[in-house]
Amino acid sequence: MAKLNPITVSALKMLRLDTDRVPRNHNDLAFAARRRTKFKVWTQEQTDAYRHLWDLIGQQQEQQAA
């Protein structure tokens, strides 16, 4: 497994997710983030972290499809 960059680790921490791996797909990310964060309204930082991870998962899926 490739080492995660500091931005990705910070994004995982912001959403209270395990910092050793990125969720496999968008559904796993959505489920885990919803379960781990009990806030009704996310902060801007949490939203940015979620978007970063969402984009990262999309890039990984595109690479696997190629």
Side-chain angles (χ1 to χ4, degrees):
M1 172 171 36
K3 184 174 171 137
L4 299 176
N5 68 43
I7 294 172
T8 301
V9 172
S10 294
L12 291 165
K13 284 181 182 179
M14 180 63 60
L15 296 176
R16 299 180 183 166
L17 302 177
D18 295 333
T19 57
D20 59 341
R21 66 180 180 84
V22 174
R24 293 179 301 201
N25 57 48
H26 292 129
N27 289 336
D28 289 349
L29 173 62
F31 178 76
R34 185 172 50 245
R35 229 176 99 218
R36 297 285 177 111
T37 55
K38 303 296 183 192
F39 306 112
K40 291 185 185 256
V41 178
W42 279 1
T43 64
Q44 184 63 49
E45 291 83 9
Q46 288 172 311
T47 302
D48 291 343
Y50 187 85
R51 287 179 181 159
H52 170 75
L53 294 172
W54 185 274
D55 292 342
L56 186 62
I57 290 168
Q59 290 171 3
Q60 289 175 348
Q61 290 177 343
E62 285 177 7
Q63 288 175 353
Q64 289 175 354

